[in-house]
Amino acid sequence: MRADHGPVVPAELSPGVRGWVVTDYATLISWSRDTTTFTHDARLWRDFTEGRIGPDDPLLPMMAPRASALFLDGAEHQRLRRAITDALGAVTPAHLASVTTRYADRLIDEFCARGRADLLNEYARMLPLLVMNDLFGMDEDQGLRFVAAMRNLWAGVDAERSNAEAERALSEVVDAKHREPGDDLTSRLIRHRAGLSDEEVIMQLLLVIAAANEPTAALIDSALRAVLADPSLRVPGGPSPAALSDLVERVLWRDPPITNYPVIYPRVDVPLDNGRVIEAGSPILLAFAAANHFFQRENAEQVADGANRAHVAWGAGPHRCPARDEATAIATIATRRILERLPDPALAVPPEDLRWRLATLSWSPVSLPVRFTPQAPAAPAPEPEPAPAPPAEPARGGAVPALSNLLKRLLVRRG
């Protein structure tokens, strides 16, 4: 496609919906930073505003205008983004590591004695859900419904219904936190000095939790596949923290968790070097995977050891993912705990037999079957002394007592 069209490729995004895909690293970064020529504001999407996008189009829930930091620019973007970063900033790295490690160990305990597991659906997709349940104060049912709906949205499956279900689950969370605020990210967004409306709180939750669930699961899956392909990393006790950090960065170069998203729109017609013109209001997908791929081809030595972290896996410019450090930390801990708990993991099928689900905005694995020597579950750690907490604190991590039940229910719904 690059040979025929250059670094910016015309594409049919869904039946009858035209747009563009920017695959060049330097162009993607430049356009992401150029907020004068380009905007994330989908109200400029001409086909949408002129009524040419049908209500059942699978792109609509991921591209239609929202009161979200991802879909706004300027002062409004800064106001909403500040609320998100302040809420996330209250979660210390130590607390995030503790929560992630606890849930990772409990998930591993569910399958370690079997000697086999689907590390995608039994682990990688479960762990971000449980961590987000805890940090955002969601209960088991809300978390289950939300993550199932978001997975369908990323895959373009039953988009209208999935979007409605995701928003409904988050609305219930916000209502509950109005009644009983707690020490959680949802309550912090509600009471933030930016004065977010309930709709704005729901939209920021939708943005952050969506980014923290399926993309983080995909990153964990990619990191685990990289470990399974490299025997030097499967050493007693697992690789060093530096080696594991470099591995995750290499994965973010080679296999970023988000493929062709988000979307920007030119405010004016943009001429290309090949004589074509991107008309104002045309959607342009940011192809993070392609941009990283072509940069790697031309600069292989610079990114081979994982020390170069200039990839665009988390975006570029003012809309760069605000939760990138949290997602990377969860993925790194998830990978380390597998290597520390399971001494000899190996793919249960040839690599070429792994299956993928392809969609316009992303491609996602279907499963990651692994075999290993059966291990006894870890001895339960003593419960910490309870600390004083706001009234709603007991609801945090509501999925913990019913972890086996939650796992089974999500596996049933995963299709």
Side-chain angles (χ1 to χ4, degrees):
M1 291 169 68
R2 282 173 64 99
D4 292 338
H5 302 285
V8 184
V9 180
E12 186 176 36
L13 307 183
S14 67
V17 180
R18 299 288 177 175
W20 300 79
V21 183
V22 55
T23 67
D24 179 68
Y25 178 89
T27 303
L28 187 151
I29 292 178
S30 174
W31 288 8
S32 295
R33 293 174 175 171
D34 183 357
T35 57
T36 300
T37 306
F38 302 95
T39 178
H40 284 69
D41 192 339
R43 290 173 295 185
L44 269 68
W45 183 11
R46 182 173 295 176
D47 285 343
F48 175 79
T49 58
E50 295 178 358
R52 288 189 289 273
I53 305 298
D56 57 348
D57 191 290
L59 296 174
L60 201 55
M62 300 293 286
M63 290 176 55
R66 292 180 184 273
S68 159
L70 182 61
F71 291 86
L72 296 170
D73 289 298
E76 278 301 282
H77 168 255
Q78 293 172 11
R79 180 178 74 92
L80 297 174
R81 186 180 176 93
R82 173 54 60 186
I84 292 171
T85 55
D86 287 350
L88 288 171
V91 181
T92 66
H95 179 63
L96 178 64
S98 174
V99 170
T100 305
T101 301
R102 182 169 73 250
Y103 286 124
D105 282 338
R106 293 187 181 188
L107 287 171
I108 294 170
D109 284 345
E110 294 286 335
F111 55 72
C112 63
R114 292 202 315 253
R116 56 180 175 78
D118 176 353
L119 289 187
L120 174 62
N121 292 298
E122 293 184 82
Y123 185 67
R125 279 187 170 142
M126 288 295 298
L127 183 57
L129 164 64
L130 294 169
V131 173
M132 290 301 106
N133 275 8
D134 190 293
L135 298 182
F136 282 84
M138 301 172 76
D139 66 27
E140 174 184 324
D141 182 67
Q142 292 160 348
L144 263 174
R145 287 159 46 210
F146 180 81
V147 77
M150 288 310 304
R151 185 173 306 154
N152 287 336
L153 281 178
W154 280 108
V157 176
D158 201 2
E160 186 175 11
R161 178 180 177 182
S162 298
N163 181 67
E165 178 62 20
E167 293 189 16
R168 185 159 46 247
L170 294 181
S171 180
E172 292 174 9
V173 177
V174 172
D175 287 345
K177 294 304 172 183
H178 274 300
R179 294 191 301 269
E180 293 184 273
D183 182 21
D184 53 69
L185 275 75
T186 303
S187 299
R188 292 183 201 123
L189 285 174
I190 290 172
R191 62 177 179 254
H192 192 271
R193 64 184 182 276
L196 276 62
S197 67
D198 280 0
E199 180 188 3
E200 288 175 331
V201 171
I202 291 170
M203 290 301 103
Q204 306 335 297
L205 289 173
L206 186 66
L207 170 61
V208 176
I209 305 177
N213 270 301
E214 192 67 11
T216 305
L219 178 57
I220 295 171
D221 174 86
S222 297
L224 290 173
R225 283 189 287 110
V227 166
L228 294 172
D230 187 350
S232 68
L233 294 169
R234 302 197 298 276
V235 296
S240 68
L244 191 53
S245 177
D246 288 345
L247 168 76
V248 172
E249 293 302 323
R250 289 197 301 272
V251 166
L252 287 167
W253 272 108
R254 183 183 67 248
D255 196 9
I258 301 175
T259 312
N260 301 316
Y261 192 75
V263 185
I264 58 175
Y265 305 87
R267 303 177 192 270
V268 296
D269 291 354
V270 176
L272 301 176
D273 291 341
N274 58 12
R276 294 189 175 187
V277 174
I278 302 178
E279 295 182 350
S282 299
I284 303 171
L285 271 57
L286 300 179
F288 296 154
N292 279 352
H293 172 73
F294 285 105
F295 183 92
Q296 279 188 287
R297 284 184 56 179
E298 298 169 1
N299 305 272
E301 293 183 1
Q302 295 185 31
V303 301
D305 60 1
N308 187 324
R309 304 189 176 187
H311 54 73
V312 292
W314 303 118
H319 283 271
R320 194 178 184 209
C321 177
R324 58 190 179 275
D325 292 339
E326 289 78 6
T328 302
I330 292 171
T332 302
I333 293 168
T335 306
R336 185 178 70 241
R337 291 309 293 156
I338 287 292
L339 293 174
E340 290 173 345
R341 295 283 307 275
L342 307 179
D344 56 354
L347 274 177
V349 299
E352 60 271 18
D353 287 348
L354 294 174
R355 295 181 297 126
W356 302 85
R357 180 179 294 110
L358 305 180
T360 300
L361 303 178
S362 67
W363 69 318
S364 57
V366 174
S367 64
L368 184 61
V370 171
R371 64 176 184 274
F372 47 86
T373 300
Q375 302 292 308
E383 291 293 330
E385 290 294 324
E393 183 65 14
R396 287 185 64 199
V400 179
L403 190 59
S404 296
N405 181 50
L406 175 58
L407 176 59
K408 292 172 184 174
R409 290 174 62 194
L410 186 58
L411 289 174
V412 167
R413 296 187 186 187
R414 72 187 184 197

